[in-house]
Amino acid sequence: MQTRGKEFRTEYRQLNKVRAFLMHGVPVMALTGTATLVMVREITQILGMYEFVTVKATSNRPNIMYTVEKMETVPDEEVEKKEQLMHHIFGEVICDLNNNGKKASKVIVFCFLRNDCAMIYEFFAQNVGNQRHVNMFTNITDDISKKLIVTQFCNSESELRVVIATVAFGMGINCPDVRKVIHFRSPCTLLNYGQEAGRCGRDGRQAQAKLFYSNKEFGICLSKFNKKQCKYQSEICELQKMKLYATNTAECRRVLLLSYLDGEADAKREIENSKVARHNCCDICTSTCDCEDCILNEAMDLMEIDKEVSTGSPGSGWRRFSDEQKQVIKTQLIHLRATLSEDACLLSPDHSLGFTTHFIDQIVENCESLNTEEDVFEKVDVWNASLAQEILNILANVEK
């Protein structure tokens, strides 16, 4: 009513006229899934509800961790840089799919632009072994396919584990076991973000909402609204609130989101009563968490690093390579890449394995701490086990 009623379905804003046909004293109830305090005030005014009781649950989702990261804007012609960005954002999801198949965690990727959906789906198609693990859902997907995708994704035993979608996916859909929601570009409002991020963790288990934003989407929205500033004043204000949330580097993201949805007073009260550990709250709180577990983990990490640096033995997690040896490693990796190019039928190693020049530089930079396949997966943008073993073989041979 508050958003759609302005131009999409103007009749929504005339629902108060229905009350004129009702006898005096007939109870009226208005229901909504998510609404800010400002929206509640406007909706009740539209409906002519002046004496009413509000029943509201908190918008806090304590099992969801919120993280935000700014993306570099990469021109379409810079293919290698764009692939590096895709590896950075989705590499972990792809590893999970290739290693665990239908047991991999369920993920929804929300895209601001339909073209982004197609680009990300193509990236997954090139890098995931089983194509049935991934599908795409947009407003131009036919109705039969939409129904099939929803049915499969909501089935815990289904092979479909990742849905790449516009906001067309999610409305009225309840898939309880989604572990992660990734936003590739920011929505235009915090209300939309809160609703879409809330698609994960509905089973009460720990989940994560990750927002990757750039200036591009804010510019697109603002240019549209600026054409008719008088008409879109509230939309411009909402866009500014979303941008402040995304660019924030100091305040708890959960507090910001709850203050927007429930008001500052309710948000403060909810946070005070909440038992969310800081390291499970948001990326801002994680960096300052001083709980016993975090202090212990940090101390153990420092002890392990000290041990590795002091011993320098192969079994300790560190190798030692001279500059000349690193150059040999780089030469052999270039040779390996060329060999793979000769064997490739349709796709280059850049596309099929992510074997770019940046990838080679990553290996050389981290070569002294690569001892196992797990090390390679963690520190280099690679998810192919056989390629990881080839890299380890090269390092072992050069070390001799």
Side-chain angles (χ1 to χ4, degrees):
M1 183 182 297
Q2 195 259 1
T3 54
R4 298 291 190 181
K6 290 184 178 178
E7 52 182 51
F8 178 55
R9 289 179 179 164
T10 55
E11 293 81 4
Y12 282 1
R13 299 181 76 85
Q14 302 176 39
L15 285 173
N16 61 321
K17 295 179 181 179
V18 175
R19 298 194 68 188
F21 296 100
L22 303 177
M23 293 177 62
H24 179 72
V26 173
V28 174
M29 181 167 58
L31 303 173
T32 182
T34 308
T36 66
L37 295 180
V38 174
M39 291 176 69
V40 170
R41 278 199 301 269
E42 185 172 345
I43 290 170
T44 52
Q45 288 173 2
I46 292 171
L47 292 175
M49 300 173 67
Y50 301 108
E51 295 181 4
F52 58 89
V53 175
T54 302
V55 179
K56 187 180 187 304
T58 178
S59 300
N60 188 23
R61 298 287 302 281
N63 61 312
I64 299 178
M65 179 179 180
Y66 300 94
T67 66
V68 178
E69 183 177 330
K70 185 176 182 180
M71 293 190 298
E72 179 185 359
T73 301
V74 181
D76 291 337
E77 59 270 17
E78 296 190 26
V79 178
E80 188 170 318
K81 270 195 172 183
K82 195 169 280 285
E83 285 196 358
Q84 291 170 15
L85 179 64
M86 294 294 100
H87 292 318
H88 172 67
I89 297 174
F90 302 112
E92 183 180 326
V93 178
I94 289 172
C95 278
D96 190 24
L97 289 173
N98 287 334
N99 292 336
N100 299 309
K102 63 185 294 184
K103 298 297 183 182
S105 297
K106 282 187 182 177
V107 179
I108 300 175
V109 180
F110 280 116
C111 299
F112 179 78
L113 303 170
R114 197 165 62 204
N115 286 347
D116 286 339
C117 272
M119 175 189 69
I120 294 169
Y121 178 76
E122 182 181 4
F123 176 77
F124 271 82
Q126 290 171 350
N127 294 294
V128 174
N130 188 340
Q131 303 298 309
R132 291 190 293 273
H133 292 329
V134 185
N135 214 328
M136 182 169 65
F137 189 112
T138 71
N139 57 349
I140 62 171
T141 305
D142 65 89
D143 291 340
I144 294 176
S145 297
K146 284 181 178 179
K147 187 174 181 180
L148 179 62
I149 291 170
V150 171
T151 301
Q152 289 179 336
F153 195 65
C154 291
N155 179 358
S156 60
E157 298 301 319
S158 169
E159 287 191 292
L160 180 59
R161 312 311 288 178
V162 176
V163 174
I164 301 158
T166 58
V167 294
F169 183 79
M171 298 301 291
I173 296 171
N174 184 25
C175 298
D177 56 345
V178 176
R179 298 272 63 82
K180 188 179 294 184
V181 166
I182 298 175
H183 276 85
F184 186 83
R185 304 195 189 284
S186 172
C188 290
T189 72
L190 257 179
L191 181 66
N192 288 345
Y193 176 70
Q195 290 175 325
E196 292 160 18
R199 305 291 173 202
C200 66
R202 292 193 169 190
D203 55 3
R205 294 173 55 204
Q206 191 63 38
Q208 189 173 26
K210 305 183 76 171
L211 168 61
F212 293 89
Y213 78 96
S214 72
N215 292 327
K216 179 178 180 177
E217 55 268 28
F218 294 113
I220 291 173
C221 291
L222 191 59
S223 63
K224 172 188 173 183
F225 297 149
N226 279 339
K227 292 177 182 178
K228 297 181 180 178
Q229 283 194 18
C230 295
K231 185 177 181 180
Y232 291 115
Q233 276 302 314
S234 62
E235 283 82 357
I236 292 173
C237 182
E238 289 296 309
L239 181 65
Q240 186 63 26
K241 290 176 182 177
M242 183 68 237
K243 188 171 184 179
L244 286 173
Y245 174 87
T247 56
N248 161 64
T249 58
E251 294 186 61
C252 169
R253 300 198 191 279
R254 189 180 303 276
V255 170
L256 292 177
L257 189 58
L258 287 181
S259 296
Y260 170 79
L261 293 172
D262 298 346
E264 290 186 11
D266 284 358
K268 183 179 180 181
R269 186 161 48 249
E270 174 65 22
I271 293 298
E272 287 176 351
N273 296 329
S274 177
K275 296 181 180 179
V276 179
R278 292 181 66 81
H279 56 263
N280 284 332
C281 183
C282 70
D283 53 323
I284 305 296
C285 292
T286 297
S287 63
T288 59
C289 184
D290 57 358
C291 71
E292 290 185 6
D293 288 341
C294 287
I295 293 174
L296 180 60
N297 289 336
E298 185 177 356
M300 291 178 68
D301 289 342
L302 290 173
M303 288 172 62
E304 187 66 25
I305 291 172
D306 288 342
K307 179 181 177 182
E308 291 171 353
V309 171
S310 62
T311 60
S313 61
S316 67
W318 285 83
R319 301 173 186 266
R320 287 291 176 264
F321 292 111
S322 65
D323 291 341
E324 290 78 9
Q325 286 177 309
K326 289 180 180 179
Q327 188 58 48
V328 173
I329 292 170
K330 186 170 185 177
T331 302
Q332 292 194 14
L333 288 170
I334 292 172
H335 177 71
L336 174 61
R337 183 173 182 270
T339 302
L340 293 173
S341 295
E342 294 173 0
D343 295 339
C345 296
L346 296 176
L347 297 173
S348 70
D350 288 27
H351 289 85
S352 61
L353 298 172
F355 207 146
T356 62
T357 53
H358 169 74
F359 173 85
I360 292 175
D361 291 338
Q362 269 191 326
I363 298 170
V364 174
E365 182 181 345
N366 294 283
C367 62
E368 294 185 338
S369 58
L370 302 180
N371 289 281
T372 65
E373 286 187 7
E374 288 74 18
D375 292 338
V376 178
F377 292 144
E378 179 183 350
K379 298 176 182 179
V380 182
D381 294 333
V382 62
W383 50 86
N384 183 287
S386 60
L387 181 56
Q389 191 55 56
E390 290 276 8
I391 294 167
L392 293 173
N393 291 340
I394 288 174
L395 297 180
N397 291 333
V398 174
E399 189 179 24
K400 293 178 181 178

